[in-house]
Amino acid sequence: MGKDVKNIDMIYVLVILILFLVTPIRVVITKDETRSDIDFYFTRIFNLRLDFDEFIKALFTEAGTPEKISPAKIIRTYQNYNRFSPFVRTATRMTSLDKITLVVRTGGKSLERQTWNFVFSWILIAYFQNLVHGYFKSVKDEYYNQVPAEKTAVLFELRFNFRLIYLVFSGIKNLNRIPQLIHPKKGRKRHGTTPDR
């Protein structure tokens, strides 16, 4: 009797775990004049909202000086990105991007300044578009533009559905990289011509 109850409990836990892994999570990232948020909508469970500006500060500034970009923190963020990039890329390659909007606003009083802003803005847009298509399986709705404005700003919106099971598949596919995440190698400079032993 006791074993039967335990087996039933284990089945319930397994079913709940599977449902949690396959349930779509709606991710909406918005940066415009009125909003600056990263929203996670867990279908009929709970919602989570992060402040996009605070998220960027956490990536590029130190805790003691949140208003000042830290070169050391940028390097650490880049190193962490390189470590996790294969896992992220594998997971996002299973995801379709429902919508992306990117508008670059540039300020410039002279015609020459406006021309250079136009050129560099579209270079940035083309690079970003290529990056997005390299990460996601497909892109359903995309809009890019550059407009002159009084103040330079980047406005965008991303919408896609994500499932936690993708992270499980990504971990399995990149199983040989997991030890590097747990124990990252510290960079070492080697001098001279002595061969490795």
Side-chain angles (χ1 to χ4, degrees), residues 16-36:
I16 291 171
L17 179 61
I18 291 173
L19 287 175
F20 184 70
L21 290 174
V22 300
T23 298
I25 301 170
R26 186 72 170 163
V27 181
V28 179
I29 305 174
T30 308
K31 173 73 174 172
D32 58 25
E33 300 95 335
T34 58
R35 294 188 56 195
S36 178

Side-chain angles (χ1 to χ4, degrees), residues 68-146:
K68 185 178 180 181
I69 293 178
S70 167
K73 190 65 181 286
I74 292 174
I75 292 172
R76 288 200 301 272
T77 298
Y78 179 73
Q79 290 172 339
N80 289 331
Y81 166 77
N82 280 339
R83 287 169 53 208
F84 286 96
S85 178
F87 296 90
V88 174
R89 188 178 289 271
T90 302
T92 55
R93 288 301 295 171
M94 293 182 266
T95 305
S96 295
L97 188 61
D98 295 328
K99 180 180 180 181
I100 177 170
T101 300
L102 175 65
V103 178
V104 179
R105 292 184 174 179
T106 55
K109 295 181 179 179
S110 66
L111 180 60
E112 182 182 2
R113 180 68 180 272
Q114 290 176 4
T115 303
W116 282 112
N117 285 341
F118 178 84
V119 171
F120 285 120
S121 295
W122 280 105
I123 290 173
L124 170 67
I125 289 171
Y127 174 79
F128 186 78
Q129 183 183 27
N130 186 57
L131 190 68
V132 165
H133 281 267
Y135 266 87
F136 289 90
K137 180 173 68 175
S138 63
V139 182
K140 297 178 181 177
D141 180 13
E142 54 185 332
Y143 174 78
Y144 305 94
N145 201 0
Q146 185 273 344

Side-chain angles (χ1 to χ4, degrees), residues 1-14:
M1 185 71 179
K3 289 183 178 180
D4 291 340
V5 173
K6 286 183 180 179
N7 289 338
I8 293 173
D9 289 343
M10 288 298 294
I11 292 172
Y12 283 142
V13 170
L14 184 60

